[in-house]
Amino acid sequence: MGRVGGINWTVVNQLFAVVAVGLMVASAIIYQRRTSGACTGCGRTDSGAGWTSPEAAARWGRRAAYTAVVVPLLYASTRWAWALGIPLGISEELWEEGKKDNLWIAGAALATMGALGSLLTLGLVRRWGEVFPRWAVGLRGRRVPLSLAVVPATLVSVLVTIAGVMYIRLHFQGAFDNQKDDWGATVPEMIWPVWGVALAAATLAYYFRRRGVCKRCTPG
């Protein structure tokens, strides 16, 4: 399955697969809540919120957020090396080909944007991710809307996971003739699913910390 009529059906298929897994996980969570007597809306029980409590979520969410920052930096380091004239993970032949078309400069620029974007993940575990900082003219001091952080972070986690799965497929299909010497073209992207999962976990922890009182299980 490839590109047909301008549509990359492989990517579409991967998107459906990720969404399907997400729906299965959501269904399993709801079932677990119902069978354990927990609130189907928030998962809280009479004994407390457990791992979903703000305190617990702050602990494991911090680890997930740091992981989501480190992984894209590892990927970006290879692209920065290429732009600086260091053929890290690729053969001299492939590096020269990319140099002629200025591909490595463009790649470094995109990697830099991704790295800077990954730093925004820290907002999921920092104060400025909950209250707009002083430099946010017209917004400083106001609470950051929950959806403003959760929606884009969730979307990015899905997209990078799909991209990572695609690169894993390309790597094992032998996308490059000299796969052994050109490992830098695919291997750094193969850890993107770790990035996606870590970002999703950090986003979930952020949600647990800020969701407030559940209207479904709290009287009044």
Side-chain angles (χ1 to χ4, degrees), residues 143-155:
R143 297 280 291 177
V144 175
L146 185 61
S147 59
L148 185 62
V150 172
V151 172
T154 301
L155 179 60

Side-chain angles (χ1 to χ4, degrees), residues 20-185:
V21 171
L23 292 175
M24 291 175 61
V25 172
S27 298
I29 291 175
I30 293 175
Y31 176 78
Q32 187 274 333
R33 289 176 178 177
R34 287 179 175 175
T35 55
S36 63
C39 173
T40 56
C42 67
R44 295 182 177 96
T45 63
D46 293 337
S47 59
W51 66 278
T52 66
S53 67
E55 296 77 15
R59 290 192 295 271
W60 56 266
R62 189 176 299 109
R63 293 191 290 269
Y66 291 154
T67 301
V69 171
V70 171
V71 172
L73 292 179
L74 294 175
Y75 157 77
S77 64
T78 60
R79 273 52 185 174
W80 292 333
W82 299 350
L84 293 173
I86 305 172
L88 178 63
I90 57 175
S91 61
E92 289 284 351
E93 180 182 358
L94 181 59
W95 184 76
E96 288 293 341
E97 291 179 3
K99 182 181 178 182
K100 293 178 182 178
D101 299 326
N102 292 320
L103 290 179
W104 308 143
I105 300 299
L110 291 174
T112 300
M113 292 177 61
L116 292 175
S118 72
L119 294 179
L120 293 176
T121 303
L122 294 176
L124 299 175
V125 293
R126 290 288 186 269
R127 179 64 177 170
W128 54 267
E130 300 180 27
V131 179
F132 285 107
R134 294 180 179 179
W135 51 261
V137 180
L139 294 173
R140 60 181 180 182
R142 296 184 181 181
R143 297 280 291 177
V144 175
L146 185 61
S147 59
L148 185 62
V150 172
V151 172
T154 301
L155 179 60
V156 171
S157 69
V158 172
L159 292 178
V160 298
T161 300
I162 293 174
V165 171
M166 181 184 67
Y167 275 104
I168 291 174
R169 179 180 60 82
L170 290 174
H171 178 81
F172 287 105
Q173 287 181 347
F176 295 90
D177 295 333
N178 193 4
Q179 192 76 22
K180 182 178 179 180
D181 292 335
D182 294 329
W183 60 266

